[in-house]
Amino acid sequence: MGGHRINIYTFIKEDPKEKHMLTAKEFVAKIEADNESLFRAGEMQIKAYYEKNAENKEELIDNFTGRMVNERMNMEEISREVAALPAGTDPKKLILLSKQAHDEAKHFQFVKEVVEYLTGEELDMQKAVEAHASRLEQKGAAMIKKYNCNSNPLMLGLYQLLAEGRAARNWGMMAECIEDKFISSRYAKIAKDEKFHATIGRMELEKLCDTQEAQDEINAVINDFRKDLYSINSKKTGVLPEAKKLMEVYA
């Protein structure tokens, strides 16, 4: 027979309801791949910030004090999450979250040591926390409250994957670009812990994201969450045009 062949599939419209749903593992893997622009933008700005302020002791003290307060906030919020979990919660989950709360307490101590190392005197903790109280909304831990992570396991898992994953990359970059060994060694330890915390989030989401409803709930907020985290990063480091360009994928 002559003439053109007809592709019958061109006459079939795809029903959105028939769209293949990603498995939970596929969905989480996609989130992680899509996070790369956020993580890279943060690394670029942090590197530029520390190169610019390497000799600005006053600025560094203020920066490290803010980071110390944020670690304390993380410790408090994760501890609240552990305390509020139902009696029937899997002990393995309790152990992982309790370890994270313990790690945040360690990070709090590590950064306190850095501040005291730079000032040469013991830190007044009450004064330091109060001094940064007005800037708490600029800390990553504030996202726990904004996205209702303490009462929504799905959002807590997302927080861990996004915020802790970003923190691992940020702390790692700080450890790499800060030349002072006393400071960089502590930051490297924190980066390792934060990577583990992100793993906790990945494991949790791989259990929770097995329905379209769960995936839709995350998709509805995830880009706003990423942009909020970038905004927090930018408030201290400033905005690099090339980093801002990377964030356009989340528009």
Side-chain angles (χ1 to χ4, degrees):
M1 297 178 62
H4 296 288
R5 291 185 179 181
I6 298 176
N7 183 353
I8 63 170
Y9 295 105
T10 61
F11 295 95
I12 301 176
K13 291 185 177 180
E14 181 181 353
D15 184 347
K17 294 181 180 179
E18 297 298 322
K19 186 177 179 180
H20 172 67
M21 187 191 84
L22 297 175
T23 67
K25 286 193 174 184
E26 288 172 341
F27 181 70
V28 175
K30 182 178 185 304
I31 291 175
E32 292 190 298
D34 291 346
N35 284 343
E36 187 59 28
S37 291
L38 168 67
F39 293 172
R40 184 65 190 128
E43 287 177 324
M44 292 166 65
Q45 293 189 166
I46 281 173
K47 185 174 186 294
Y49 171 81
Y50 282 103
E51 287 176 349
K52 177 182 177 182
N53 292 286
E55 304 301 325
N56 189 340
K57 189 174 181 180
E58 183 177 346
E59 171 64 22
L60 291 177
I61 290 171
D62 181 72
N63 175 50
F64 294 143
T65 302
R67 291 190 177 278
M68 177 195 70
V69 172
N70 188 61
E71 295 305 311
R72 181 183 175 87
M73 286 176 64
N74 281 328
M75 175 192 70
E76 292 173 352
E77 294 299 333
I78 297 299
S79 296
R80 287 191 187 99
E81 174 66 18
V82 173
L85 287 171
T89 302
D90 186 340
K92 292 180 181 178
K93 181 175 180 177
L94 290 171
I95 290 170
L96 288 173
L97 286 175
S98 296
K99 182 184 184 309
Q100 181 174 349
H102 178 259
D103 287 345
E104 303 296 357
K106 284 195 309 179
H107 303 169
F108 172 44
Q109 173 65 22
F110 285 157
V111 190
K112 178 177 180 289
E113 291 173 357
V114 167
V115 174
E116 291 178 337
Y117 168 73
L118 289 173
T119 63
E121 57 187 34
E122 186 175 350
L123 184 66
D124 183 331
M125 286 303 311
Q126 187 68 34
K127 184 178 179 181
V129 172
E130 289 176 356
H132 282 259
S134 62
R135 290 186 269 173
L136 292 183
E137 74 282 354
Q138 298 178 16
K139 312 298 181 188
M143 296 298 98
I144 293 177
K145 292 182 179 179
K146 178 171 181 178
Y147 288 93
N148 202 27
C149 299
N150 283 129
S151 59
N152 186 336
L154 197 61
M155 290 298 108
L156 179 62
L158 184 61
Y159 171 83
Q160 290 171 311
L161 192 64
L162 285 184
E164 305 287 7
R166 163 185 164 273
R169 294 279 290 268
N170 284 358
W171 288 105
M173 176 55 71
M174 288 184 278
E176 181 180 322
C177 66
I178 295 175
E179 294 184 0
D180 189 293
K181 297 301 181 185
F182 182 92
I183 300 174
S184 64
S185 64
R186 282 155 178 76
Y187 275 32
K189 292 176 183 177
I190 294 174
K192 183 178 179 181
D193 287 343
E194 300 291 15
K195 186 175 181 179
F196 172 71
H197 301 165
T199 299
I200 297 175
R202 180 194 307 122
M203 292 166 57
E204 192 67 11
L205 289 179
E206 286 178 347
K207 296 175 185 176
L208 297 174
C209 294
D210 57 350
T211 67
Q212 190 63 59
E213 290 76 15
Q215 294 182 17
D216 288 346
E217 184 176 349
I218 284 182
N219 284 332
V221 303
I222 192 166
N223 280 348
D224 287 339
F225 206 139
R226 288 169 173 141
K227 287 185 281 189
D228 281 341
L229 289 170
Y230 176 70
S231 177
I232 287 169
N233 177 280
S234 300
K235 281 183 172 67
K236 193 62 179 173
T237 64
V239 175
L240 287 179
E242 55 267 43
K244 186 177 180 181
K245 182 71 175 177
L246 287 174
M247 292 298 297
E248 289 178 2
V249 298
Y250 306 126

